[in-house]
Amino acid sequence: MDQNNNRITLYLDADDTILLSSEAVIKILNKKYNINPPKTIDNMKDWEYRSIYKYITTEEVENIYESDEFFNIVEFDPLFLDFYNKNKNKINIVIVTKGTELNVTKKEKYIKSILGEDIEYIGMTFKYDADGERIKDYSKTNINMKHGIQIDDRTDALANTNANIKILINNDRIRTWNQHYENINNLYVARNWDEISQIVLFAYD
């Protein structure tokens, strides 16, 4: 908690935490490849979207996340917006998200257009190896989250950070990227933002 203004600071991931990013990607893939019957978020079993379209490449996924089409259709989780609008005078928000350079730039503009220009935003760019392949590193340990609450949909993004409390949102779906959290201290698992709200407000009180 910020001792100066009696507010809790929340360090929030963006994609699939406050933004329904994968749902937008799936809509784009359904349209592009005329997938019939259309796939839904419940069909997504991997972070590379090959469970949606088996021939998709990492480059194509990155291009979608950078596209105007994506940012024209991606939506905020309505439960998050409800939480935010009810509690924005009690909390400080810091967005901590990863992506390509173009993605994090567009994402900042989009998020601030909805939540306001005062929202603090940290965009972390992906790293690539000598062959140009993206390194699968979702760690956020280089961000100082001391005294705050970190909320993310990936276990590996929560591991080893210095946040006082960590909340894993699994969106009511058990997947490879939101398991194996047994050794992470001070971690709570929530199915949605209604459950997150209860944890955050308990910490505030």
Side-chain angles (χ1 to χ4, degrees), residues 2 17 21 31 45 61 65 67 71 76 80 97 105 107 122 131 136 140 145 169 179 188 201 203-204:
D2 189 327
T17 298
S21 299
K31 179 181 177 182
K45 309 297 182 185
V61 173
Y65 269 94
S67 69
F71 284 101
F76 274 83
F80 164 73
T97 183
T105 298
K107 199 173 348 184
I122 301 173
D131 297 322
K136 294 182 179 180
K140 297 178 179 178
M145 306 184 196
I169 179 170
Q179 299 184 62
Y188 299 84
L201 296 181
Y204 181 84

Side-chain angles (χ1 to χ4, degrees), residues 25-38:
V25 172
I26 292 168
K27 287 179 182 178
I28 291 170
L29 292 176
N30 280 331
K31 179 181 177 182
K32 181 176 182 179
Y33 294 108
N34 194 26
I35 299 173
N36 190 24

